[in-house]
Amino acid sequence: MKDDLINYTEEEPPNPKSASNGYGSTAFQHDEKPEQNDELKKNKKKKKNEESKEKMVGILKLFAYADWLDIILMIIGLIAAIANGTGLPLIIIVAGKMTNSFVMIGQAVNVSSVVMNSSSTCPAIPGLDIDAEMTRFAYYYVGIGFAVVILSTIQVGTFFTSAARQTTRIRQKFFFAILHQEMAWFDTSQIGTLNTRLTDDINTIHEGIGDQICIFVQFFSTFLTGIVIGFVYEWKLTLVILSVSPLLVAAAAVQSVFLASFTTKELTAYARAGAVAEEILTAIRMVVAFNGQGKALAKYDVNLENARKVGVKKFITTYTTLGFTEFILFGAFALAFWYGTKLTVEEKENYDIGRVLIVLFSVVHGTFSLGQGSLHLESVANARGAAYEVYKVISKHRLLDSSVKEGYRPDKLKGEIEFKNIHFSYPSRPDVKILKGLNLKVQSGKTIALVGSSGCGKSTAIQMLHRFYDPVQGEITLDGRNIRTLNIKWLREHIGLVSQEPILFAATIAENIHCGREDITDSEIKKAAKEANAFDFISRLPDKFNTMVGEKGAQLSGGQKQRIAIARALARNPRILLLDEATSALDTQSESSVQAALDKARAGRTTIVIAHRLSTIRTADIIAGFHNGVVVEQGTHNELLTQKGVYYSLVMQQGHGGNTQNEMSESNEETEDEDYEKEYLDDLRMENLTDLGGFEEPGIIEMGSIPKRSRRHTSRKTSSKKKSSEKKKTKEKEEENLPAVPYSRILALNKPEWLHIFFGVIAAAFSGGVHPAFAVIFGKIIGAFQETESEKRSKTTTSLSLMFLVLAVISLVTHIIQGFMFGKSGEVLTKRLRSLSFKALLQQEIGWYDNPKNAIGVLLTRLATDASQVKGATGSRLGLLTKTASTLLSAIIIAFVYDWQLTLLILACVPVLIAASAIRLSSVSGHASKDQKALEEAGQISMEAVENIRTVASLTSEDAFNERYNASLNGPYRDSLTKAPLYGLTYGIAQCSSYFLYAAIFRFGGWLMSNCYTNVENICIAFFSVLFGAINVGKSTSLAPDFGKAKVSAQRIFQLLDRKPLIDSYSEEGIKLSKFNGNIEFKDIHFVYPTRPEVQVLQGLSVKVNKGQTLALVGSSGCGKSTSIQLLERFYDPMEGQVFADGFNTKSLHLRWLRSKLGIVSQEPILFDCSIAENIQYGGNSWVVSQEEVEEAAKAANIHTFIENLPEKYNTRVGDKGAQLSGGQKQRIAIARALVRKPAVLLLDEATSALDMEGEKIVQKALDDARKGRTCIVIAHRLMTVQNADVIAVIHNGKVVEQGTHSQLLAKEGHYYALVNAQVSH
């Protein structure tokens, strides 16, 4: 009990609302920028709450999904919690009574005035059986201890059980609600957030309705009982002690106000610094090309300095309020003992030391319990916030719900479809009209093909037939009935859909086909597979129909997936078949087999086909041409060709030479893609082998899960994503290769501040001695009551009370000193490390940034977190260690001096106490994380369903997914039901272990006293001093994880600082030529990018350009044009061969000098978020660029007049990445920036390709002017722009295949001729 009190004096916040002053709490880690301490989170929360006060459910609404059993369980739990809360105050009463007995014994001993142990026998004290008294008290302790264990088990167990039941119910209802929402809802909801809701938000609700509520009630009950006991035993003293509490509340309030404002300021400063870093690192190529590192660093440092100043203030505030809290507490003790003693003298018959202690501890404990309890309310508030959105979705009225039973279900279906005057726009984009009066009739058993350009409403019509959406106006009829009157599920069951991107689920082939119809037999599955031309390839697979297809069917090729999707559609033997671009994503070979399957499937069914490749629909019975949301023509292939309308123009476009080539290249890319995926799968399998030490079933391999839109782009994207998820394991392994860093080196970082740290450590040592000294005074006061003369006793207690005040002052002063010293040293260190890290980042070569491990996001996070975490290993941690050591040493020495026998017993018990508090920590910190693993399977099911909701809905598989999801929740649910009583038990044991120890210690103390080995004063001093020591050690163990984090961060920082870049931007070595003409030559260059060593980019490139000439590099994408410019800028160095500038190998030239002679304008000009003038001045980073120079460059770039017409002229801010300007304006500012440095060589990388015709003309003129009298290297895809170049070099497969002027190359009729023709024909 008393130990707990001291525990609070140090650990508990002075403010019941905020936990930011304990050592284990954020006050001591408030320096961790990454976690951005609690105060800030609260601030953000405050703001958030102010914005959305209504966005919380009521406290009772939180339990909306509880049934009667849950309610009974919770009521039992609350009753147990209230009873449990009285345990601590009862212990305090027992302790007070026991102290009285001790004092009476002491007085009796004094009366007998026996010199201890001088005679061989210890006199018995008449009328007092010490052993019996102490045994009685020991029984009280043990009895209360057992009651607490039982009540805790009931209280936590019942709440956990009811929470598990409710959250499982909420998960099921939420998932069901999502599955049955209409599509329009999905268009406006982010898929990612739905999965977060299913996991995180419901976990938050679980935490809020679980044990947190009953623990709060328990603390509240302790508070009430404590205050009531205080008033019952002695109301005067209670009022005196309570009079101090407003000061504590005031201190806490002041602290939270200051901390909040400082935190906000500090974060703003860090956010600005982060924004600078982000802007610089995302544009790193440009920064390096323009030698802008110095400017960037200066800008970054300014913001860091602001953050440092605020950080120091914040640190001082935290420590001062912490000191002030201890000051008030010690003061309260002084006041209580002084006044208590006064009362025991004045009203002898009513007062004794026991009463004084009971009142003091009951009241102090009670108020602190309130503070502790309020922390548990926060998770309830979080749960109410999380429940708002979740409950809203569950209770939302669903417009198109496939689970409803209403609606007509015809016995027979012919399959005649008619669209009558359909008007429609998507609910997410109501202003864009898609269908504007569509009329279309499809006869039963016929095939109709819909053609038209993208976005004309073809797919929309199909979605409306499925009733994913309902038309705004008009109606769709099926066999003459409006489809709105039909049952939705029945309607979808009779339609088979095969779409462009077939979505397969992560199951076996048979299970995927089974999705088509619930009651399908194995023979029917085989029949469907045969009809879909899929049976042969499935039979060749080792596991045949039981082959796992992987996530999204990734184990299969496009054609195979498509045929399984067709089999799935045919499994339900639909009357209506919808084919939406079913073959467009396939290569020619797969296409023919799938097309054959489709032709077979169409027989005898009403079929609607959408296709871009018109060759696939010539055989359709009717072709309908769409344009702007209406049907403009209908007829057979031949009829429409003669009409020369929409269809004719589409056929003509596709029949055109340019396009066949396009189709070819498209299909090539496709196959290449599939090879890529296959290759990648092999890699994966290998990786799995190495990771798992055995062969895993290939189907379980995790694949990336992004809904693929355009297959060509995403398959590569997803592959890389898949790879990244797979490689997480290996990455973690790699991370362990950080260099070992000795602690001395981490400390050395803080060397310049050693004086600050020195004084801080000394203050910490004094601060550590305060609590053991407190124990001695406390024991002496109790001892003083053995004195029978009241005069003498008053004198002693008054002087001892004053000693409490002295301790209070020492504590306050040492805290203030620590705050100032450690705040200064820590914040200076953070600033220094951030600055050094940023400088080191800017020094690395570009190849280093290409490595995914050094992605910009990762680097920014590191910049933000690592520096502030290292601080956790130096000053303030040293202080905490010193404080702990000084507390422990002084405590143990004092204890042994006063009573060595009891001290040995207490020390033997300390490990038990430490173990118990560890158990309590692990049991109180939410158990959600343990269930996390178990819920992952459910998470995967929900993810698969939600991401592919259209497929799920069209297959009417909602119920199947729902069943799978509910089944996957069973495990975690049963698990949490069995764990519930266990959690209760651990919570109870942690609470009562100290009660059992008190029983043992005081029983032994009684024995020592009855045998005259010791006296009451010594027992108290020994007991309290060891306890404080133990508690302080427990506190410091919270330092370990931070130290671990700090060490890893320090290792990362040193790894970065010690890295020698391959191309060092800061290097001063190399030749600076006095005159640079600008003759450039590439000689036999071979090059691969460091991150893709298998792809040879340049394979012997040789090309030369003389002073003042313009060289144009042309060729298809990826042939190495831009790479050559990057080699000239020395972003990379070639593997073989040399780049020469004026006859010198560029490697031998001074790097920054070389770059200062080159001006680069790229396809995507990057501007910084500052004024136009500053952006142009960026071109000359090595000198101060005057306004005249800026204007001259702007005139040369053809943008001066535009700038002059702006209200703020050259001081106009361009916005983030130049967002306030159009493409052409940005491009011209980029040209001005390149011209300001008067470069000898101008590099233009696709400088006009991103512009429209008008913008291109203006920029082109600016470029033509800029090229005059300079060497110029131009890269362009639009060959019009390079016709007048002096030399045109065509690059193919990484080398120059032909060069000459425009007319010479045309005459050759080689590569250049083909490129020009391809562009003209387009």
Side-chain angles (χ1 to χ4, degrees):
M1 161 280 320
K2 294 168 182 119
D3 64 312
D4 277 337
L5 162 78
I6 303 303
N7 193 346
Y8 296 144
T9 61
E10 292 204 16
E11 185 167 37
E12 272 308 311
N15 160 13
K17 299 284 183 293
S18 128
S20 49
N21 314 12
Y23 300 167
S25 81
T26 39
F28 282 79
Q29 304 147 8
H30 80 279
D31 26 73
E32 322 261 297
K33 295 292 148 355
E35 278 82 28
Q36 288 314 4
N37 90 26
D38 287 4
E39 284 302 326
L40 163 77
K41 286 186 191 154
K42 282 186 189 146
N43 263 16
K44 282 195 179 156
K45 252 175 219 157
K46 260 187 219 152
K47 278 185 198 153
K48 222 177 178 178
N49 289 353
E50 282 159 19
E51 285 166 29
S52 55
K53 277 218 171 96
E54 316 75 56
K55 298 221 161 180
M56 251 191 180
V57 298
I59 192 107
L60 290 175
K61 178 85 198 295
L62 193 56
F63 300 99
Y65 297 98
D67 60 12
W68 57 269
L69 180 59
D70 296 328
I71 293 168
I72 292 172
L73 281 174
M74 288 191 284
I75 291 171
I76 295 172
L78 287 178
I79 295 168
I82 293 169
N84 197 359
T86 58
L88 195 60
L90 289 176
I91 286 275
I92 293 174
I93 294 177
V94 174
K97 298 254 195 260
M98 187 180 70
T99 311
N100 270 345
S101 301
F102 271 147
V103 171
M104 278 163 60
I105 294 162
Q107 285 173 344
V109 172
N110 282 359
V111 172
S112 329
S113 64
V114 177
V115 180
M116 281 184 63
N117 287 351
S118 59
S119 65
S120 55
T121 58
C122 191
I125 297 157
L128 252 185
D129 181 351
I130 299 180
D131 277 354
E133 276 287 279
M134 289 301 130
T135 308
R136 184 164 66 89
F137 284 121
Y139 283 146
Y140 281 147
Y141 278 129
V142 173
I144 295 176
F146 275 120
V148 165
V149 171
I150 293 164
L151 289 169
S152 294
T153 309
I154 294 174
Q155 152 196 343
V156 174
T158 51
F159 261 89
F160 250 112
T161 308
S162 88
R165 288 167 52 89
Q166 289 174 68
T167 36
T168 303
R169 210 170 289 129
I170 292 170
R171 275 183 217 281
Q172 291 173 347
K173 285 181 182 297
F174 187 60
F175 187 61
F176 182 85
I178 288 182
L179 281 182
H180 294 87
Q181 294 295 346
E182 65 273 15
M183 290 306 142
W185 184 79
F186 285 97
D187 293 342
T188 49
S189 309
Q190 281 180 303
I191 301 289
T193 59
L194 294 179
N195 285 314
T196 316
R197 293 251 154 80
L198 260 176
T199 48
D200 302 3
D201 285 10
I202 296 183
N203 284 344
T204 309
I205 296 175
H206 183 257
E207 274 177 38
I209 60 178
D211 55 347
Q212 302 291 338
I213 290 182
C214 62
I215 292 176
F216 169 73
V217 170
Q218 179 196 329
F219 277 124
F220 192 69
S221 150
T222 304
F223 162 70
L224 285 181
T225 321
I227 301 291
V228 168
I229 288 174
F231 278 110
V232 167
Y233 271 82
E234 178 34 53
W235 62 272
K236 289 184 206 163
L237 187 56
T238 304
L239 286 176
V240 168
I241 299 169
L242 282 178
S243 67
V244 177
S245 51
L247 282 174
L248 280 181
V249 174
V254 167
Q255 186 209 15
S256 63
V257 167
F258 273 112
L259 265 191
S261 85
F262 286 149
T263 305
T264 317
K265 282 181 191 159
E266 182 183 38
L267 280 178
T268 316
Y270 274 125
R272 285 200 189 118
V276 171
E278 182 176 5
E279 191 171 49
I280 300 298
L281 292 179
T282 41
I284 187 72
R285 280 180 161 76
M286 202 198 74
V287 173
V288 170
F290 284 97
N291 292 331
Q293 295 96 329
K295 255 187 194 172
L297 204 54
K299 201 167 164 191
Y300 188 62
D301 282 354
V302 171
N303 289 306
L304 290 186
E305 179 55 27
N306 297 342
R308 183 195 67 79
K309 286 178 189 154
V310 179
V312 174
K313 286 181 196 160
K314 187 167 129 183
F315 218 108
I316 295 171
T317 311
T318 307
Y319 268 90
T320 308
T321 39
L322 201 64
F324 187 62
T325 309
E326 287 205 355
F327 174 80
I328 295 172
L329 270 173
F330 287 151
F333 274 90
L335 186 64
F337 281 120
W338 168 77
Y339 185 61
T341 318
K342 192 161 164 292
L343 286 175
T344 54
V345 175
E346 288 169 6
E347 304 177 34
K348 230 183 201 147
E349 59 292 340
N350 293 341
Y351 287 103
D352 49 39
I353 176 68
R355 287 206 147 201
V356 173
L357 287 181
I358 289 174
V359 172
L360 176 65
F361 283 119
S362 294
V363 175
V364 171
H365 246 305
T367 43
F368 274 122
S369 298
L370 191 62
Q372 263 193 307
S374 64
L375 298 177
H376 294 276
L377 275 186
E378 195 181 326
S379 55
V380 179
N382 292 347
R384 287 171 58 199
Y388 179 79
E389 288 294 339
V390 172
Y391 291 3
K392 193 169 97 177
V393 172
I394 294 178
S395 54
K396 177 180 177 296
H397 171 63
R398 301 188 283 273
L399 299 169
L400 292 165
D401 184 351
S402 59
S403 64
V404 294
K405 300 279 177 275
E406 287 94 66
Y408 178 64
R409 298 163 176 257
D411 302 327
K412 195 163 174 297
L413 174 67
K414 287 201 305 224
E416 277 190 13
I417 304 165
E418 187 171 0
F419 293 83
K420 294 181 184 167
N421 189 28
I422 301 281
H423 288 262
F424 178 73
S425 56
Y426 284 103
S428 54
R429 302 193 304 271
D431 43 343
V432 182
K433 285 203 70 167
I434 307 288
L435 299 178
K436 304 170 185 174
L438 170 71
N439 287 298
L440 183 66
K441 195 166 182 188
V442 187
Q443 306 209 324
S444 171
K446 295 274 195 253
T447 297
I448 183 168
L450 312 182
V451 299
S453 57
S454 278
C456 64
K458 306 186 297 292
S459 296
T460 307
I462 279 191
Q463 296 198 49
M464 298 186 77
L465 186 55
H466 254 122
R467 281 204 74 198
F468 286 166
Y469 303 95
D470 276 342
V472 179
Q473 192 187 326
E475 62 171 17
I476 303 172
T477 61
L478 181 60
D479 290 356
R481 287 190 81 97
N482 186 335
I483 60 171
R484 287 193 187 202
T485 61
L486 300 174
N487 177 282
I488 295 187
K489 189 170 180 185
W490 178 89
L491 171 71
R492 289 179 185 166
E493 278 172 349
H494 286 80
I495 299 176
L497 170 73
V498 183
S499 61
Q500 177 174 5
E501 269 303 327
I503 302 281
L504 300 188
F505 301 113
T508 63
I509 291 179
E511 285 166 334
N512 267 296
I513 297 177
H514 191 273
C515 288
R517 193 170 99 229
E518 294 289 298
D519 51 358
I520 191 169
T521 62
D522 285 353
S523 59
E524 286 177 305
I525 289 181
K526 285 180 182 159
K527 179 171 171 250
K530 281 176 182 157
E531 281 181 23
N533 267 0
F535 187 74
D536 297 345
F537 90 80
I538 298 174
S539 309
R540 286 198 294 273
L541 295 169
D543 296 330
K544 306 199 166 49
F545 279 89
N546 294 324
T547 307
M548 292 294 285
V549 300
E551 196 169 325
K552 289 215 162 65
Q555 303 282 346
L556 305 171
S557 75
Q560 293 168 340
K561 279 199 289 196
Q562 198 56 289
R563 279 175 281 165
I564 289 173
I566 295 171
R568 180 173 66 188
L570 297 180
R572 46 177 47 178
N573 192 9
R575 276 302 302 146
I576 299 167
L577 191 59
L578 307 179
L579 307 176
D580 185 357
E581 295 267 357
T583 62
S584 69
L586 305 178
D587 56 64
T588 349
Q589 200 177 352
S590 321
E591 186 178 5
S592 53
S593 58
V594 172
Q595 193 56 50
L598 290 176
D599 291 343
K600 213 192 274 185
R602 278 173 14 199
R605 295 188 169 98
T606 306
T607 311
I608 300 182
V609 186
I610 293 180
H612 272 150
R613 295 200 193 161
L614 305 181
S615 51
T616 55
I617 53 167
R618 289 186 174 171
T619 54
D621 300 313
I622 294 185
I623 296 172
F626 271 64
H627 185 63
N628 279 348
V630 288
V631 175
V632 287
E633 54 184 21
Q634 289 188 44
T636 61
H637 172 72
N638 294 331
E639 286 167 15
L640 292 182
L641 282 184
T642 53
Q643 281 184 28
K644 300 210 168 173
V646 174
Y647 183 68
Y648 176 78
S649 62
L650 287 169
V651 172
M652 285 299 95
Q653 276 174 17
Q654 289 200 9
H656 201 284
N659 240 70
T660 44
Q661 197 178 346
N662 252 15
E663 282 200 22
M664 280 307 294
S665 66
E666 218 175 65
S667 59
N668 285 349
E669 285 202 37
E670 280 312 327
T671 35
E672 182 188 338
D673 247 18
E674 280 173 18
D675 293 351
Y676 182 78
E677 291 209 7
K678 283 196 187 111
E679 213 174 283
Y680 155 65
L681 274 170
D682 297 337
D683 290 356
L684 246 185
R685 292 200 179 117
M686 284 316 293
E687 261 178 47
N688 268 29
L689 278 176
T690 48
D691 270 1
L692 303 165
F695 196 79
E696 265 264 8
E697 212 180 310
I700 303 167
I701 297 168
E702 267 301 301
M703 301 310 246
S705 51
I706 328 174
K708 296 187 186 174
R709 294 260 151 59
S710 92
R711 183 183 145 119
R712 227 164 319 150
H713 287 272
T714 38
S715 84
R716 294 218 161 96
K717 251 190 283 174
T718 40
S719 299
S720 61
K721 195 148 183 177
K722 297 167 198 163
K723 279 195 173 163
S724 69
S725 68
E726 280 301 321
K727 289 196 175 158
K728 265 190 191 145
K729 285 184 203 150
T730 31
K731 188 176 164 198
E732 277 162 24
K733 286 179 200 156
E734 280 169 27
E735 292 237 328
E736 288 155 17
N737 298 342
L738 290 168
V741 175
Y743 188 53
S744 54
R745 187 170 177 197
I746 299 180
L747 278 183
L749 288 171
N750 238 159
K751 209 183 220 157
E753 290 77 44
W754 73 271
L755 253 178
H756 287 98
I757 291 178
F758 175 71
F759 284 118
V761 164
I762 287 177
F766 275 102
S767 178
V770 167
H771 287 102
F774 176 86
V776 175
I777 300 169
F778 192 70
K780 292 236 178 255
I781 283 189
I782 292 176
F785 278 89
Q786 296 176 37
E787 183 56 62
T788 38
E789 287 175 47
S790 52
E791 196 58 38
K792 201 170 171 190
R793 184 170 63 199
S794 290
K795 218 171 166 183
T796 318
T797 48
T798 307
S799 61
L800 287 170
S801 297
L802 284 172
M803 291 295 289
F804 273 136
L805 274 182
V806 172
L807 282 185
V809 172
I810 292 176
S811 181
L812 179 61
V813 172
T814 52
H815 270 96
I816 292 175
I817 294 175
Q818 285 181 73
F820 184 74
M821 299 300 171
F822 292 142
K824 188 97 168 99
S825 66
E827 292 298 320
V828 170
L829 177 70
T830 304
K831 182 191 167 190
R832 178 179 305 130
L833 285 179
R834 284 198 166 190
S835 188
L836 284 173
S837 303
F838 190 55
K839 188 177 175 190
L841 283 180
L842 295 180
Q843 188 176 2
Q844 304 306 324
E845 75 277 7
I846 300 293
W848 184 79
Y849 285 95
D850 294 342
N851 185 337
K853 276 205 322 217
N854 304 319
I856 307 293
V858 177
L859 298 178
L860 289 170
T861 317
R862 292 253 173 101
L863 259 183
T865 52
D866 285 348
S868 32
Q869 273 176 350
V870 172
K871 180 171 53 177
T874 59
S876 50
R877 298 289 157 193
L878 271 185
L880 195 47
L881 278 173
T882 313
K883 184 171 181 174
T884 306
S886 96
T887 305
L888 255 188
L889 276 173
S890 44
I892 289 174
I893 292 168
I894 289 170
F896 273 110
V897 167
Y898 279 96
D899 190 337
W900 65 271
Q901 294 111 315
L902 189 66
T903 304
L904 286 176
L905 174 69
I906 299 173
L907 284 179
C909 295
V910 164
V912 183
L913 268 183
I914 291 176
S917 70
I919 289 175
R920 164 151 189 199
L921 278 177
S922 69
S923 74
V924 170
S925 63
H927 310 287
S929 57
K930 293 179 185 164
D931 309 331
Q932 211 43 48
K933 272 275 170 282
L935 287 173
E936 274 176 7
E937 187 197 343
Q940 278 172 334
I941 295 172
S942 66
M943 186 115 161
E944 192 169 37
V946 173
E947 286 195 336
N948 309 318
I949 187 71
R950 280 183 161 73
T951 307
V952 173
S954 68
L955 291 170
T956 57
S957 299
E958 294 99 338
D959 297 345
F961 268 97
N962 213 16
E963 276 165 34
R964 266 178 69 193
Y965 184 72
N966 293 351
S968 73
L969 289 179
N970 274 341
Y973 171 60
R974 279 198 303 271
D975 220 26
S976 46
L977 289 191
T978 47
K979 280 181 191 163
L982 190 73
Y983 290 148
L985 193 63
T986 53
Y987 179 70
I989 289 171
Q991 282 209 299
C992 72
S993 55
S994 47
Y995 303 166
F996 293 141
L997 294 183
Y998 299 156
I1001 290 167
F1002 288 123
R1003 177 69 195 80
F1004 181 58
W1007 180 84
L1008 287 174
M1009 274 179 73
S1010 67
N1011 291 322
C1012 297
Y1013 286 113
T1014 185
N1015 64 17
V1016 62
E1017 185 179 304
N1018 295 354
I1019 286 183
C1020 288
I1021 291 176
F1023 176 65
F1024 284 122
S1025 56
V1026 175
L1027 253 151
F1028 297 161
I1031 288 161
N1032 253 308
V1033 172
K1035 205 73 59 29
S1036 306
T1037 51
S1038 70
L1039 167 163
D1042 291 331
F1043 182 72
K1045 274 187 201 162
K1047 199 163 173 197
V1048 173
S1049 292
Q1051 288 173 324
R1052 284 200 196 125
I1053 287 180
F1054 285 126
Q1055 188 181 34
L1056 176 64
L1057 297 182
D1058 297 344
R1059 185 177 186 276
K1060 293 270 172 286
L1062 302 175
I1063 303 170
D1064 183 355
S1065 301
Y1066 296 158
S1067 159
E1068 288 302 330
E1069 292 164 13
I1071 313 160
K1072 296 184 180 179
L1073 304 178
S1074 52
K1075 185 167 184 293
F1076 181 56
N1077 294 321
N1079 297 312
I1080 305 290
E1081 182 179 4
F1082 294 88
K1083 208 169 194 177
D1084 192 29
I1085 297 214
H1086 290 258
F1087 178 72
V1088 298
Y1089 282 103
T1091 47
R1092 298 198 305 272
E1094 68 287 347
V1095 182
Q1096 276 275 345
V1097 183
L1098 298 178
Q1099 310 179 21
L1101 175 84
S1102 296
V1103 68
K1104 190 174 176 185
V1105 56
N1106 293 325
K1107 175 185 172 181
Q1109 280 190 326
T1110 295
L1111 164 70
L1113 304 178
V1114 298
S1116 57
S1117 276
C1119 67
K1121 305 185 296 293
S1122 297
T1123 307
S1124 49
I1125 282 192
Q1126 300 197 47
L1127 291 176
L1128 179 58
E1129 282 274 7
R1130 280 203 71 202
F1131 291 166
Y1132 305 93
D1133 280 340
M1135 310 292 152
E1136 283 175 46
Q1138 290 104 11
V1139 182
F1140 292 106
D1142 277 7
F1144 289 87
N1145 185 336
T1146 48
K1147 283 189 188 179
S1148 67
L1149 297 171
H1150 184 280
L1151 185 57
R1152 288 207 303 282
W1153 174 86
L1154 170 69
R1155 287 179 179 157
S1156 71
K1157 298 296 171 201
L1158 309 172
I1160 187 164
V1161 182
S1162 58
Q1163 178 174 5
E1164 272 300 323
I1166 296 175
L1167 301 185
F1168 292 120
D1169 188 2
C1170 52
S1171 71
I1172 293 180
E1174 287 167 308
N1175 266 301
I1176 296 177
Q1177 284 165 341
Y1178 199 80
N1181 277 324
S1182 45
W1183 77 96
V1184 180
V1185 181
S1186 67
Q1187 184 63 26
E1188 287 75 53
E1189 290 176 280
V1190 170
E1191 290 184 15
E1192 187 189 335
K1195 283 174 186 159
N1198 202 356
I1199 187 150
H1200 175 69
T1201 41
F1202 159 74
I1203 299 174
E1204 283 296 319
N1205 290 334
L1206 294 169
E1208 294 181 45
K1209 304 195 164 57
Y1210 280 89
N1211 294 326
T1212 308
R1213 284 188 80 82
V1214 300
D1216 183 29
K1217 299 197 174 60
Q1220 304 291 328
L1221 304 171
S1222 75
Q1225 292 158 356
K1226 279 197 290 193
Q1227 198 59 284
R1228 282 177 285 160
I1229 290 175
I1231 296 170
R1233 176 175 63 195
L1235 295 181
V1236 117
R1237 60 198 323 185
K1238 308 199 168 55
V1241 180
L1242 193 59
L1243 309 174
L1244 307 175
D1245 185 357
E1246 296 263 1
T1248 62
S1249 66
L1251 305 179
D1252 54 46
M1253 296 306 282
E1254 195 55 34
E1256 185 176 5
K1257 275 184 199 151
I1258 300 172
V1259 173
Q1260 193 56 51
K1261 180 176 183 317
L1263 289 176
D1264 292 342
D1265 294 347
R1267 282 175 6 200
K1268 285 175 189 150
R1270 293 192 168 91
T1271 308
C1272 189
I1273 300 181
V1274 187
I1275 294 178
H1277 271 151
R1278 298 201 191 160
L1279 304 180
M1280 309 277 291
T1281 55
V1282 294
Q1283 290 178 359
N1284 49 8
D1286 301 309
V1287 184
I1288 298 174
V1290 182
I1291 301 179
H1292 185 64
N1293 288 345
K1295 48 177 182 274
V1296 174
V1297 285
E1298 54 184 26
Q1299 52 178 319
T1301 61
H1302 175 70
S1303 46
Q1304 287 168 348
L1305 293 178
L1306 281 182
K1308 277 192 182 168
E1309 298 202 359
H1311 289 265
Y1312 184 70
Y1313 178 79
L1315 285 169
V1316 171
N1317 266 358
Q1319 288 200 9
V1320 173
S1321 69
H1322 273 273

